[in-house]
Amino acid sequence: MIQSLADLNPILLALLATLFTWGCTALGASFVFSTKKANPLVFDSMLAFAGGVMIAASFWSLLAPGIEMAEAQGVPAYLPAAVGFLLGGLFLLLVDKILPMINDELYFKEIADRKAKHRTAMLIFSITMHNIPEGLAVGVAFGALASDFSTTSLAGAVALALGIGIQNIPEGTAVSIPLRREGMSAKKSFFYGQFSGMVEPISAVIGAVAVIFIEPLLPYALSFAAGAMIFVVAKEVIPGSQERGHIQLTTMSLMVGFVVMMILDVALG
């Protein structure tokens, strides 16, 4: 299989790999169709579960790989992680201030409560942002094959795409289920859930084409996405999951989400 892939253009390989990761996101989002009715207890738990997934992904999928990349580039490992992480949080803080100024009739019309609409928009925005550097990382891995090809590096790029794809399954669920929680139809919840992964093929092609320019920026981009996700979890996801009073249940649900994503990331890392 590896040999047959070696005959393909690296940019095409990057596109095909991230079409797979996008499909995994869609698979996770499709779990929303198994929810027949918006039971508040279940959906509060699922929102907290999404928070746990995001916390784990922010470290094992984003910060840790970014630190490893920085070390390989000869940069102080803490620098991109610290700078990118804080910039990601500051950027989401800015978005958090600007979003209420936008006419809320322009998006998520099915969600009547403005607070819930704002939280949902922030959640989708942060997870979509998180998928951009992941797509870039896959693109860089395949794009680098054009100048330094080996079956080992090709196998590593394939393994990276496979790992990211499997990790994307709970992330797709983490978008679609909270949307269903707020009263959106299952079809629209699925659409927005899979849409969060659509940026990966686009960013992968960019990464493969501009590998020389993109690779030095990846540690910062990964850390930036991690900071954005933690901001949303701390400000929106955890308070939102507990606003109906299911504090102990949602706390355990968050921990289960963290463990599930941690196992996936470490096992596939």
Side-chain angles (χ1 to χ4, degrees):
M1 177 183 175
I2 293 295
Q3 190 57 47
S4 62
L5 291 176
D7 298 329
L8 298 177
N9 184 287
I11 297 174
L12 177 60
L13 283 173
L15 177 62
L16 292 174
T18 45
L19 286 176
F20 164 74
T21 62
W22 177 18
C24 290
T25 304
L27 174 62
S30 70
F31 293 159
V32 75
F33 292 112
S34 65
T35 58
K36 302 297 183 183
K37 189 177 179 182
N39 183 308
L41 191 65
V42 172
F43 281 98
D44 284 352
S45 299
M46 290 305 298
L47 181 61
F49 179 90
V53 167
M54 292 169 71
I55 293 172
S58 69
F59 178 73
W60 276 282
S61 296
L62 299 169
L63 280 174
I67 289 171
E68 289 178 8
M69 289 178 189
E71 289 176 340
Q73 294 171 8
V75 177
Y78 60 84
L79 185 62
V83 172
F85 187 83
L86 291 175
L87 285 177
L90 288 171
F91 179 71
L92 261 289
L93 178 62
L94 181 62
V95 172
D96 190 49
K97 297 292 184 183
I98 293 174
L99 198 58
M101 301 177 190
I102 300 173
N103 183 354
D104 60 8
E105 291 298 318
L106 298 176
Y107 61 98
F108 303 144
K109 295 180 181 179
E110 300 86 352
I111 303 176
D113 183 74
R114 293 193 67 181
K115 184 178 179 182
K117 185 177 292 195
H118 179 89
R119 176 172 59 238
T120 302
M122 293 285 286
L123 175 66
I124 293 176
F125 189 68
S126 68
I127 291 186
T128 302
M129 279 182 57
H130 144 266
N131 284 327
I132 293 173
E134 286 195 346
L136 288 172
V138 173
V140 165
F142 281 101
L145 298 174
S147 59
D148 184 23
F149 178 83
S150 70
T151 54
T152 302
S153 57
L154 176 57
V158 171
L160 174 65
L162 180 63
I164 288 176
I166 295 173
Q167 292 159 17
N168 280 358
I169 295 174
E171 290 170 8
T173 308
V175 176
S176 62
I177 293 294
L179 285 169
R180 190 77 178 98
R181 173 186 184 267
E182 304 302 345
M184 191 172 284
S185 70
K187 286 183 179 179
K188 286 197 173 181
S189 298
F190 167 76
F191 171 79
Y192 285 112
Q194 63 81 33
F195 181 81
S196 67
M198 191 182 295
V199 295
E200 287 196 354
I202 299 169
S203 55
V205 170
I206 294 171
V209 171
V211 59
I212 296 174
F213 303 101
I214 295 294
E215 188 169 15
L217 298 176
L218 265 178
Y220 294 91
L222 290 164
S223 302
F224 184 94
M229 288 182 72
I230 292 297
F231 180 93
V232 172
V233 171
K235 186 180 182 298
E236 302 289 349
V237 175
I238 293 175
S241 68
Q242 297 182 352
E243 63 188 6
R244 291 174 177 148
H246 307 132
I247 296 175
Q248 292 181 333
L249 177 63
T250 54
T251 299
M252 290 307 302
S253 297
L254 183 141
M255 295 182 72
V256 170
F258 182 94
V259 169
V260 167
M261 195 65 190
M262 177 186 66
I263 290 172
L264 286 175
D265 276 329
V266 173
L268 299 169

